[in-house]
Amino acid sequence: MGDPFGKEDINTFKELLQTNVAAAAAKIKAYLEEQDNIPLNIAITGESGSGKSTFVNAFRGLDKKDKSDAAAPTGCVETTMEVKSYPHPNFPNVTLWDLPGIGTINFPAAKYLKHVSFERFDFFIIISAVRFRENDVKLALEIQKMKKKFYFVRSKIDDTMRAEEQTQSEFNTEKTLSIIRENAGLRIVTLVI
């Protein structure tokens, strides 16, 4: 996001500080309060079945079995069929947007960005239930082209850990998690280069 103060704002604050400290403090406080109320639209994206809607619910503090209208619907088949907003309960200026999964018959990768109006979001969280895949790379590259930021979140890690424990003779939780983190980090660094 960068520096919250513009050059003009800083000059105004400097002038006020030299003449009227109380007025400068009030002006800075008002400015910061205004900044706190800027809307932030966070898109939750990734492949179908990766746990995007579950993430939206968890981020908003809702129980995974909550079936109220406030919860994003989840399911064992493609469930999110339209872009839907979910306000954060504690931060009224923050809205999470649950996007349909990329790369399905209903939302092919070639048409996905236009279909979900990808450019309208301020920040992105790419959810993946497995390794960083081609569609995740496509999303990350598009986000970078727009000069916006994203986080890559690996979901369903408990399933991965259980499978590793069943197949590895010398299973080590910390070592496995370290390998996963390193692998995801290397992929993201590769995108930046």
Side-chain angles (χ1 to χ4, degrees), residues 66-102:
D66 188 338
K67 297 296 181 193
S68 71
D69 289 340
T74 61
C76 60
V77 296
E78 188 174 12
T79 304
T80 304
M81 303 305 283
E82 61 185 44
V83 176
K84 184 148 192 246
S85 66
Y86 294 92
H88 192 281
N90 301 327
F91 303 100
N93 59 317
V94 176
T95 302
L96 297 170
W97 293 83
D98 191 11
L99 276 55
I102 186 173

Side-chain angles (χ1 to χ4, degrees), residues 53-125:
S53 300
T54 300
F55 179 86
V56 167
N57 292 337
F59 197 90
R60 296 173 58 236
L62 299 175
D63 183 85
K64 64 183 179 181
K65 293 182 181 179
D66 188 338
K67 297 296 181 193
S68 71
D69 289 340
T74 61
C76 60
V77 296
E78 188 174 12
T79 304
T80 304
M81 303 305 283
E82 61 185 44
V83 176
K84 184 148 192 246
S85 66
Y86 294 92
H88 192 281
N90 301 327
F91 303 100
N93 59 317
V94 176
T95 302
L96 297 170
W97 293 83
D98 191 11
L99 276 55
I102 186 173
T104 66
I105 292 170
N106 293 309
F107 302 99
K111 297 178 181 177
Y112 183 79
L113 299 177
K114 186 175 181 178
H115 180 81
V116 299
S117 302
F118 209 60
E119 69 288 339
R120 70 179 155 159
F121 305 107
D122 303 311
F123 184 81
F124 299 83
I125 297 176

Side-chain angles (χ1 to χ4, degrees), residues 7 11 15 34-35 37 61 63 77 86 97 104 109 114 120 131 143 150 169 173-174 181-183:
K7 189 172 184 161
N11 289 335
E15 287 173 22
E34 181 182 312
Q35 296 302 306
N37 293 319
D63 183 85
V77 296
Y86 294 92
W97 293 83
T104 66
K114 186 175 181 178
R120 70 179 155 159
R131 295 167 183 90
I143 294 165
F150 69 93
S169 60
T173 301
E174 289 307 314
R181 284 186 195 105
E182 187 176 312
N183 180 263

